[in-house]
Amino acid sequence: MTTLIFVIAAYLIGSISFAVVVSKVMGLSDPRTYGSGNPGATNVLRSGNKKAAIATLIGDALKGWVAVFLANYFAEQYGVGDGTIALVCVAVFLGHLYPVFFKFQGGKGVATAAGILLALNVWVGLATLVTWLVVAYAFRYSSLAALIASIFAPFYYGLLFGSDEKLFAVIVMSALLLFRHAKNISNLLAGKESRIGSKAKGAAGAPKAARKK
């Protein structure tokens, strides 16, 4: 029962879509209505509002970190082990991908995965983030950076800790992230993928009130 409570709580935390919440608070268009239609930081950036994109990035990463941190913090008190921690990782990630609060229309999980990895182990998280940054800087494709980072994440974890339940969780998250980027993979191969910072048609970069003036 305790494991189930941990997992449900993690899923609900993951279901908070900061891209939608931040955009609504800042008076921007719903990120699901322009660009890639993905409620994530990269698509929010296509609105031209960098502050909204940064807030989304921090929020999505923080919810992944918080869910895993709390599970680790209370693990000994409630007698749960690595298996439960692994399930919490997957649950909060699934919450982001398929949020119950937003008709199961979620993001692709890059920022949330980063938060989860940082909570699991700061070195694994940092190594994965550096991989993303290097690829993103070199090629200017967020999706390509995410794909390569997701492939390396299980390798980094396995290198440091070997095979355990948490490694399985990292592999599952990587597989889900690759699955969610199927369209991006097709666009990359076809040379149609949008680069980081490109403006999307239909995106509202300024608060609605300001645009009426």
PDB file of all heavy atoms in Angstrom, residues 26-64:
ATOM      1  N   MET A  26       1.122  33.976 -17.614  1.00  0.00           N
ATOM      2  CA  MET A  26       1.801  35.083 -18.282  1.00  0.00           C
ATOM      3  C   MET A  26       1.021  35.612 -19.478  1.00  0.00           C
ATOM      4  O   MET A  26       1.500  36.473 -20.229  1.00  0.00           O
ATOM      5  CB  MET A  26       3.209  34.649 -18.707  1.00  0.00           C
ATOM      6  CG  MET A  26       4.095  34.271 -17.535  1.00  0.00           C
ATOM      7  SD  MET A  26       5.808  33.885 -17.978  1.00  0.00           S
ATOM      8  CE  MET A  26       6.410  35.530 -18.383  1.00  0.00           C
ATOM      9  N   GLY A  27      -0.182  35.095 -19.699  1.00  0.00           N
ATOM     10  CA  GLY A  27      -1.033  35.604 -20.769  1.00  0.00           C
ATOM     11  C   GLY A  27      -0.612  35.188 -22.156  1.00  0.00           C
ATOM     12  O   GLY A  27      -0.904  35.887 -23.129  1.00  0.00           O
ATOM     13  N   LEU A  28       0.072  34.061 -22.281  1.00  0.00           N
ATOM     14  CA  LEU A  28       0.533  33.581 -23.579  1.00  0.00           C
ATOM     15  C   LEU A  28      -0.414  32.523 -24.139  1.00  0.00           C
ATOM     16  O   LEU A  28      -1.242  31.961 -23.413  1.00  0.00           O
ATOM     17  CB  LEU A  28       1.937  32.989 -23.442  1.00  0.00           C
ATOM     18  CG  LEU A  28       2.996  33.891 -22.814  1.00  0.00           C
ATOM     19  CD1 LEU A  28       4.303  33.131 -22.645  1.00  0.00           C
ATOM     20  CD2 LEU A  28       3.208  35.139 -23.645  1.00  0.00           C
ATOM     21  N   SER A  29      -0.273  32.233 -25.409  1.00  0.00           N
ATOM     22  CA  SER A  29      -1.079  31.186 -26.030  1.00  0.00           C
ATOM     23  C   SER A  29      -0.733  29.830 -25.431  1.00  0.00           C
ATOM     24  O   SER A  29       0.397  29.596 -24.985  1.00  0.00           O
ATOM     25  CB  SER A  29      -0.829  31.148 -27.543  1.00  0.00           C
ATOM     26  OG  SER A  29      -1.244  32.340 -28.161  1.00  0.00           O
ATOM     27  N   ASP A  30      -1.706  28.945 -25.417  1.00  0.00           N
ATOM     28  CA  ASP A  30      -1.491  27.584 -24.953  1.00  0.00           C
ATOM     29  C   ASP A  30      -0.439  26.934 -25.847  1.00  0.00           C
ATOM     30  O   ASP A  30      -0.600  26.899 -27.071  1.00  0.00           O
ATOM     31  CB  ASP A  30      -2.798  26.794 -25.040  1.00  0.00           C
ATOM     32  CG  ASP A  30      -2.729  25.434 -24.370  1.00  0.00           C
ATOM     33  OD1 ASP A  30      -1.685  24.758 -24.486  1.00  0.00           O
ATOM     34  OD2 ASP A  30      -3.724  25.032 -23.744  1.00  0.00           O
ATOM     35  N   PRO A  31       0.672  26.419 -25.298  1.00  0.00           N
ATOM     36  CA  PRO A  31       1.737  25.829 -26.118  1.00  0.00           C
ATOM     37  C   PRO A  31       1.298  24.619 -26.922  1.00  0.00           C
ATOM     38  O   PRO A  31       2.010  24.196 -27.831  1.00  0.00           O
ATOM     39  CB  PRO A  31       2.813  25.476 -25.085  1.00  0.00           C
ATOM     40  CG  PRO A  31       2.073  25.316 -23.797  1.00  0.00           C
ATOM     41  CD  PRO A  31       0.989  26.352 -23.858  1.00  0.00           C
ATOM     42  N   ARG A  32       0.139  24.078 -26.595  1.00  0.00           N
ATOM     43  CA  ARG A  32      -0.365  22.931 -27.355  1.00  0.00           C
ATOM     44  C   ARG A  32      -1.033  23.361 -28.658  1.00  0.00           C
ATOM     45  O   ARG A  32      -1.473  22.515 -29.438  1.00  0.00           O
ATOM     46  CB  ARG A  32      -1.361  22.146 -26.496  1.00  0.00           C
ATOM     47  CG  ARG A  32      -0.736  21.483 -25.276  1.00  0.00           C
ATOM     48  CD  ARG A  32      -1.768  20.938 -24.303  1.00  0.00           C
ATOM     49  NE  ARG A  32      -2.569  22.018 -23.714  1.00  0.00           N
ATOM     50  CZ  ARG A  32      -3.523  21.824 -22.804  1.00  0.00           C
ATOM     51  NH1 ARG A  32      -3.793  20.603 -22.390  1.00  0.00           N
ATOM     52  NH2 ARG A  32      -4.198  22.863 -22.320  1.00  0.00           N
ATOM     53  N   THR A  33      -1.090  24.702 -28.897  1.00  0.00           N
ATOM     54  CA  THR A  33      -1.784  25.212 -30.080  1.00  0.00           C
ATOM     55  C   THR A  33      -0.847  25.777 -31.142  1.00  0.00           C
ATOM     56  O   THR A  33      -1.311  26.286 -32.159  1.00  0.00           O
ATOM     57  CB  THR A  33      -2.788  26.316 -29.677  1.00  0.00           C
ATOM     58  OG1 THR A  33      -2.071  27.436 -29.124  1.00  0.00           O
ATOM     59  CG2 THR A  33      -3.780  25.805 -28.647  1.00  0.00           C
ATOM     60  N   TYR A  34       0.458  25.719 -30.924  1.00  0.00           N
ATOM     61  CA  TYR A  34       1.389  26.244 -31.919  1.00  0.00           C
ATOM     62  C   TYR A  34       2.681  25.427 -31.932  1.00  0.00           C
ATOM     63  O   TYR A  34       2.921  24.594 -31.045  1.00  0.00           O
ATOM     64  CB  TYR A  34       1.699  27.720 -31.667  1.00  0.00           C
ATOM     65  CG  TYR A  34       2.376  28.023 -30.338  1.00  0.00           C
ATOM     66  CD1 TYR A  34       3.746  27.854 -30.158  1.00  0.00           C
ATOM     67  CD2 TYR A  34       1.636  28.495 -29.258  1.00  0.00           C
ATOM     68  CE1 TYR A  34       4.369  28.126 -28.951  1.00  0.00           C
ATOM     69  CE2 TYR A  34       2.244  28.783 -28.042  1.00  0.00           C
ATOM     70  CZ  TYR A  34       3.610  28.591 -27.898  1.00  0.00           C
ATOM     71  OH  TYR A  34       4.220  28.864 -26.706  1.00  0.00           O
ATOM     72  N   GLY A  35       3.509  25.685 -32.939  1.00  0.00           N
ATOM     73  CA  GLY A  35       4.789  24.970 -33.035  1.00  0.00           C
ATOM     74  C   GLY A  35       4.595  23.473 -33.136  1.00  0.00           C
ATOM     75  O   GLY A  35       3.803  22.977 -33.931  1.00  0.00           O
ATOM     76  N   SER A  36       5.308  22.749 -32.282  1.00  0.00           N
ATOM     77  CA  SER A  36       5.212  21.288 -32.273  1.00  0.00           C
ATOM     78  C   SER A  36       3.970  20.810 -31.536  1.00  0.00           C
ATOM     79  O   SER A  36       3.615  19.635 -31.599  1.00  0.00           O
ATOM     80  CB  SER A  36       6.450  20.694 -31.586  1.00  0.00           C
ATOM     81  OG  SER A  36       6.486  21.068 -30.215  1.00  0.00           O
ATOM     82  N   GLY A  37       3.305  21.742 -30.815  1.00  0.00           N
ATOM     83  CA  GLY A  37       2.140  21.350 -30.025  1.00  0.00           C
ATOM     84  C   GLY A  37       2.532  20.694 -28.719  1.00  0.00           C
ATOM     85  O   GLY A  37       1.675  20.246 -27.953  1.00  0.00           O
ATOM     86  N   ASN A  38       3.823  20.663 -28.449  1.00  0.00           N
ATOM     87  CA  ASN A  38       4.333  20.006 -27.247  1.00  0.00           C
ATOM     88  C   ASN A  38       4.382  20.985 -26.077  1.00  0.00           C
ATOM     89  O   ASN A  38       5.003  22.049 -26.180  1.00  0.00           O
ATOM     90  CB  ASN A  38       5.746  19.474 -27.525  1.00  0.00           C
ATOM     91  CG  ASN A  38       6.387  18.912 -26.277  1.00  0.00           C
ATOM     92  OD1 ASN A  38       5.872  17.986 -25.662  1.00  0.00           O
ATOM     93  ND2 ASN A  38       7.526  19.469 -25.899  1.00  0.00           N
ATOM     94  N   PRO A  39       3.731  20.668 -24.953  1.00  0.00           N
ATOM     95  CA  PRO A  39       3.784  21.547 -23.786  1.00  0.00           C
ATOM     96  C   PRO A  39       5.095  21.373 -23.020  1.00  0.00           C
ATOM     97  O   PRO A  39       5.150  20.712 -21.978  1.00  0.00           O
ATOM     98  CB  PRO A  39       2.566  21.102 -22.949  1.00  0.00           C
ATOM     99  CG  PRO A  39       2.401  19.665 -23.294  1.00  0.00           C
ATOM    100  CD  PRO A  39       2.805  19.539 -24.746  1.00  0.00           C
ATOM    101  N   GLY A  40       6.138  21.953 -23.559  1.00  0.00           N
ATOM    102  CA  GLY A  40       7.457  21.872 -22.942  1.00  0.00           C
ATOM    103  C   GLY A  40       8.205  23.176 -23.126  1.00  0.00           C
ATOM    104  O   GLY A  40       7.764  24.080 -23.849  1.00  0.00           O
ATOM    105  N   ALA A  41       9.361  23.285 -22.480  1.00  0.00           N
ATOM    106  CA  ALA A  41      10.129  24.537 -22.489  1.00  0.00           C
ATOM    107  C   ALA A  41      10.565  24.953 -23.891  1.00  0.00           C
ATOM    108  O   ALA A  41      10.525  26.141 -24.239  1.00  0.00           O
ATOM    109  CB  ALA A  41      11.343  24.403 -21.578  1.00  0.00           C
ATOM    110  N   THR A  42      10.991  23.998 -24.707  1.00  0.00           N
ATOM    111  CA  THR A  42      11.458  24.332 -26.056  1.00  0.00           C
ATOM    112  C   THR A  42      10.357  24.947 -26.892  1.00  0.00           C
ATOM    113  O   THR A  42      10.571  25.927 -27.610  1.00  0.00           O
ATOM    114  CB  THR A  42      12.011  23.080 -26.766  1.00  0.00           C
ATOM    115  OG1 THR A  42      13.097  22.539 -26.000  1.00  0.00           O
ATOM    116  CG2 THR A  42      12.511  23.422 -28.155  1.00  0.00           C
ATOM    117  N   ASN A  43       9.149  24.398 -26.799  1.00  0.00           N
ATOM    118  CA  ASN A  43       8.046  24.949 -27.589  1.00  0.00           C
ATOM    119  C   ASN A  43       7.583  26.289 -27.017  1.00  0.00           C
ATOM    120  O   ASN A  43       7.205  27.189 -27.779  1.00  0.00           O
ATOM    121  CB  ASN A  43       6.873  23.970 -27.636  1.00  0.00           C
ATOM    122  CG  ASN A  43       5.966  24.233 -28.827  1.00  0.00           C
ATOM    123  OD1 ASN A  43       6.443  24.518 -29.924  1.00  0.00           O
ATOM    124  ND2 ASN A  43       4.666  24.138 -28.621  1.00  0.00           N
ATOM    125  N   VAL A  44       7.607  26.442 -25.692  1.00  0.00           N
ATOM    126  CA  VAL A  44       7.259  27.731 -25.089  1.00  0.00           C
ATOM    127  C   VAL A  44       8.242  28.801 -25.560  1.00  0.00           C
ATOM    128  O   VAL A  44       7.865  29.953 -25.793  1.00  0.00           O
ATOM    129  CB  VAL A  44       7.254  27.640 -23.547  1.00  0.00           C
ATOM    130  CG1 VAL A  44       7.085  29.026 -22.923  1.00  0.00           C
ATOM    131  CG2 VAL A  44       6.137  26.719 -23.067  1.00  0.00           C
ATOM    132  N   LEU A  45       9.508  28.418 -25.734  1.00  0.00           N
ATOM    133  CA  LEU A  45      10.509  29.364 -26.232  1.00  0.00           C
ATOM    134  C   LEU A  45      10.145  29.866 -27.613  1.00  0.00           C
ATOM    135  O   LEU A  45      10.487  30.997 -27.983  1.00  0.00           O
ATOM    136  CB  LEU A  45      11.887  28.689 -26.260  1.00  0.00           C
ATOM    137  CG  LEU A  45      13.077  29.561 -26.691  1.00  0.00           C
ATOM    138  CD1 LEU A  45      13.249  30.749 -25.746  1.00  0.00           C
ATOM    139  CD2 LEU A  45      14.357  28.728 -26.743  1.00  0.00           C
ATOM    140  N   ARG A  46       9.429  29.080 -28.390  1.00  0.00           N
ATOM    141  CA  ARG A  46       9.020  29.486 -29.731  1.00  0.00           C
ATOM    142  C   ARG A  46       7.991  30.619 -29.691  1.00  0.00           C
ATOM    143  O   ARG A  46       7.704  31.221 -30.721  1.00  0.00           O
ATOM    144  CB  ARG A  46       8.443  28.287 -30.500  1.00  0.00           C
ATOM    145  CG  ARG A  46       9.482  27.213 -30.813  1.00  0.00           C
ATOM    146  CD  ARG A  46       8.949  26.156 -31.766  1.00  0.00           C
ATOM    147  NE  ARG A  46       9.986  25.181 -32.082  1.00  0.00           N
ATOM    148  CZ  ARG A  46      10.027  23.939 -31.605  1.00  0.00           C
ATOM    149  NH1 ARG A  46       9.053  23.517 -30.808  1.00  0.00           N
ATOM    150  NH2 ARG A  46      11.000  23.121 -31.930  1.00  0.00           N
ATOM    151  N   SER A  47       7.440  30.885 -28.504  1.00  0.00           N
ATOM    152  CA  SER A  47       6.529  32.021 -28.373  1.00  0.00           C
ATOM    153  C   SER A  47       7.320  33.327 -28.376  1.00  0.00           C
ATOM    154  O   SER A  47       6.745  34.409 -28.514  1.00  0.00           O
ATOM    155  CB  SER A  47       5.743  31.920 -27.056  1.00  0.00           C
ATOM    156  OG  SER A  47       6.589  32.185 -25.942  1.00  0.00           O
ATOM    157  N   GLY A  48       8.644  33.223 -28.182  1.00  0.00           N
ATOM    158  CA  GLY A  48       9.490  34.395 -28.112  1.00  0.00           C
ATOM    159  C   GLY A  48       9.676  34.918 -26.704  1.00  0.00           C
ATOM    160  O   GLY A  48      10.421  35.871 -26.473  1.00  0.00           O
ATOM    161  N   ASN A  49       9.016  34.290 -25.741  1.00  0.00           N
ATOM    162  CA  ASN A  49       9.102  34.717 -24.345  1.00  0.00           C
ATOM    163  C   ASN A  49      10.087  33.824 -23.591  1.00  0.00           C
ATOM    164  O   ASN A  49       9.750  32.720 -23.164  1.00  0.00           O
ATOM    165  CB  ASN A  49       7.716  34.658 -23.692  1.00  0.00           C
ATOM    166  CG  ASN A  49       7.666  35.393 -22.371  1.00  0.00           C
ATOM    167  OD1 ASN A  49       8.526  35.197 -21.509  1.00  0.00           O
ATOM    168  ND2 ASN A  49       6.662  36.233 -22.200  1.00  0.00           N
ATOM    169  N   LYS A  50      11.312  34.315 -23.425  1.00  0.00           N
ATOM    170  CA  LYS A  50      12.365  33.524 -22.793  1.00  0.00           C
ATOM    171  C   LYS A  50      12.082  33.271 -21.312  1.00  0.00           C
ATOM    172  O   LYS A  50      12.412  32.203 -20.786  1.00  0.00           O
ATOM    173  CB  LYS A  50      13.711  34.228 -22.959  1.00  0.00           C
ATOM    174  CG  LYS A  50      14.200  34.281 -24.395  1.00  0.00           C
ATOM    175  CD  LYS A  50      15.560  34.947 -24.495  1.00  0.00           C
ATOM    176  CE  LYS A  50      16.026  34.992 -25.948  1.00  0.00           C
ATOM    177  NZ  LYS A  50      17.356  35.642 -26.072  1.00  0.00           N
ATOM    178  N   LYS A  51      11.482  34.258 -20.639  1.00  0.00           N
ATOM    179  CA  LYS A  51      11.183  34.083 -19.218  1.00  0.00           C
ATOM    180  C   LYS A  51      10.200  32.943 -18.999  1.00  0.00           C
ATOM    181  O   LYS A  51      10.347  32.154 -18.061  1.00  0.00           O
ATOM    182  CB  LYS A  51      10.624  35.385 -18.633  1.00  0.00           C
ATOM    183  CG  LYS A  51      11.643  36.504 -18.531  1.00  0.00           C
ATOM    184  CD  LYS A  51      11.026  37.737 -17.895  1.00  0.00           C
ATOM    185  CE  LYS A  51      12.069  38.859 -17.773  1.00  0.00           C
ATOM    186  NZ  LYS A  51      11.482  40.091 -17.174  1.00  0.00           N
ATOM    187  N   ALA A  52       9.205  32.855 -19.866  1.00  0.00           N
ATOM    188  CA  ALA A  52       8.217  31.776 -19.761  1.00  0.00           C
ATOM    189  C   ALA A  52       8.875  30.427 -20.011  1.00  0.00           C
ATOM    190  O   ALA A  52       8.570  29.431 -19.337  1.00  0.00           O
ATOM    191  CB  ALA A  52       7.085  32.002 -20.753  1.00  0.00           C
ATOM    192  N   ALA A  53       9.784  30.382 -20.985  1.00  0.00           N
ATOM    193  CA  ALA A  53      10.476  29.135 -21.301  1.00  0.00           C
ATOM    194  C   ALA A  53      11.360  28.690 -20.141  1.00  0.00           C
ATOM    195  O   ALA A  53      11.398  27.502 -19.788  1.00  0.00           O
ATOM    196  CB  ALA A  53      11.321  29.315 -22.565  1.00  0.00           C
ATOM    197  N   ILE A  54      12.063  29.637 -19.518  1.00  0.00           N
ATOM    198  CA  ILE A  54      12.936  29.317 -18.384  1.00  0.00           C
ATOM    199  C   ILE A  54      12.104  28.836 -17.196  1.00  0.00           C
ATOM    200  O   ILE A  54      12.466  27.863 -16.520  1.00  0.00           O
ATOM    201  CB  ILE A  54      13.784  30.541 -17.989  1.00  0.00           C
ATOM    202  CG1 ILE A  54      14.800  30.847 -19.087  1.00  0.00           C
ATOM    203  CG2 ILE A  54      14.494  30.298 -16.655  1.00  0.00           C
ATOM    204  CD1 ILE A  54      15.554  32.149 -18.888  1.00  0.00           C
ATOM    205  N   ALA A  55      10.983  29.517 -16.937  1.00  0.00           N
ATOM    206  CA  ALA A  55      10.104  29.119 -15.833  1.00  0.00           C
ATOM    207  C   ALA A  55       9.556  27.711 -16.062  1.00  0.00           C
ATOM    208  O   ALA A  55       9.454  26.907 -15.124  1.00  0.00           O
ATOM    209  CB  ALA A  55       8.962  30.117 -15.687  1.00  0.00           C
ATOM    210  N   THR A  56       9.208  27.418 -17.309  1.00  0.00           N
ATOM    211  CA  THR A  56       8.710  26.081 -17.651  1.00  0.00           C
ATOM    212  C   THR A  56       9.790  25.029 -17.440  1.00  0.00           C
ATOM    213  O   THR A  56       9.541  23.960 -16.870  1.00  0.00           O
ATOM    214  CB  THR A  56       8.239  26.045 -19.117  1.00  0.00           C
ATOM    215  OG1 THR A  56       7.170  26.980 -19.292  1.00  0.00           O
ATOM    216  CG2 THR A  56       7.763  24.658 -19.510  1.00  0.00           C
ATOM    217  N   LEU A  57      10.987  25.339 -17.904  1.00  0.00           N
ATOM    218  CA  LEU A  57      12.118  24.420 -17.760  1.00  0.00           C
ATOM    219  C   LEU A  57      12.390  24.101 -16.295  1.00  0.00           C
ATOM    220  O   LEU A  57      12.530  22.932 -15.910  1.00  0.00           O
ATOM    221  CB  LEU A  57      13.362  25.032 -18.403  1.00  0.00           C
ATOM    222  CG  LEU A  57      14.650  24.210 -18.321  1.00  0.00           C
ATOM    223  CD1 LEU A  57      14.528  22.953 -19.161  1.00  0.00           C
ATOM    224  CD2 LEU A  57      15.839  25.051 -18.795  1.00  0.00           C
ATOM    225  N   ILE A  58      12.442  25.148 -15.472  1.00  0.00           N
ATOM    226  CA  ILE A  58      12.713  24.959 -14.048  1.00  0.00           C
ATOM    227  C   ILE A  58      11.586  24.172 -13.378  1.00  0.00           C
ATOM    228  O   ILE A  58      11.832  23.248 -12.595  1.00  0.00           O
ATOM    229  CB  ILE A  58      12.895  26.322 -13.349  1.00  0.00           C
ATOM    230  CG1 ILE A  58      14.171  26.998 -13.859  1.00  0.00           C
ATOM    231  CG2 ILE A  58      12.946  26.153 -11.831  1.00  0.00           C
ATOM    232  CD1 ILE A  58      14.352  28.418 -13.359  1.00  0.00           C
ATOM    233  N   GLY A  59      10.345  24.523 -13.693  1.00  0.00           N
ATOM    234  CA  GLY A  59       9.202  23.837 -13.097  1.00  0.00           C
ATOM    235  C   GLY A  59       9.156  22.363 -13.448  1.00  0.00           C
ATOM    236  O   GLY A  59       8.950  21.509 -12.567  1.00  0.00           O
ATOM    237  N   ASP A  60       9.356  22.043 -14.730  1.00  0.00           N
ATOM    238  CA  ASP A  60       9.310  20.641 -15.159  1.00  0.00           C
ATOM    239  C   ASP A  60      10.456  19.828 -14.562  1.00  0.00           C
ATOM    240  O   ASP A  60      10.275  18.661 -14.202  1.00  0.00           O
ATOM    241  CB  ASP A  60       9.351  20.564 -16.694  1.00  0.00           C
ATOM    242  CG  ASP A  60       8.010  20.898 -17.329  1.00  0.00           C
ATOM    243  OD1 ASP A  60       7.000  20.912 -16.603  1.00  0.00           O
ATOM    244  OD2 ASP A  60       7.974  21.137 -18.549  1.00  0.00           O
ATOM    245  N   ALA A  61      11.634  20.434 -14.474  1.00  0.00           N
ATOM    246  CA  ALA A  61      12.768  19.734 -13.869  1.00  0.00           C
ATOM    247  C   ALA A  61      12.561  19.568 -12.365  1.00  0.00           C
ATOM    248  O   ALA A  61      12.844  18.506 -11.797  1.00  0.00           O
ATOM    249  CB  ALA A  61      14.065  20.491 -14.149  1.00  0.00           C
ATOM    250  N   LEU A  62      12.047  20.619 -11.724  1.00  0.00           N
ATOM    251  CA  LEU A  62      11.870  20.611 -10.276  1.00  0.00           C
ATOM    252  C   LEU A  62      10.869  19.549  -9.830  1.00  0.00           C
ATOM    253  O   LEU A  62      11.069  18.892  -8.804  1.00  0.00           O
ATOM    254  CB  LEU A  62      11.420  21.990  -9.801  1.00  0.00           C
ATOM    255  CG  LEU A  62      11.396  22.215  -8.279  1.00  0.00           C
ATOM    256  CD1 LEU A  62      12.794  22.023  -7.694  1.00  0.00           C
ATOM    257  CD2 LEU A  62      10.866  23.604  -7.962  1.00  0.00           C
ATOM    258  N   LYS A  63       9.792  19.368 -10.594  1.00  0.00           N
ATOM    259  CA  LYS A  63       8.799  18.380 -10.173  1.00  0.00           C
ATOM    260  C   LYS A  63       9.371  16.960 -10.223  1.00  0.00           C
ATOM    261  O   LYS A  63       9.061  16.132  -9.366  1.00  0.00           O
ATOM    262  CB  LYS A  63       7.531  18.488 -11.020  1.00  0.00           C
ATOM    263  CG  LYS A  63       7.667  18.037 -12.470  1.00  0.00           C
ATOM    264  CD  LYS A  63       6.355  18.249 -13.229  1.00  0.00           C
ATOM    265  CE  LYS A  63       6.458  17.811 -14.672  1.00  0.00           C
ATOM    266  NZ  LYS A  63       5.220  18.102 -15.440  1.00  0.00           N
ATOM    267  N   GLY A  64      10.240  16.695 -11.204  1.00  0.00           N
ATOM    268  CA  GLY A  64      10.893  15.390 -11.256  1.00  0.00           C
ATOM    269  C   GLY A  64      11.827  15.199 -10.080  1.00  0.00           C
ATOM    270  O   GLY A  64      11.861  14.131  -9.451  1.00  0.00           O
TER     271      GLY A  64
END
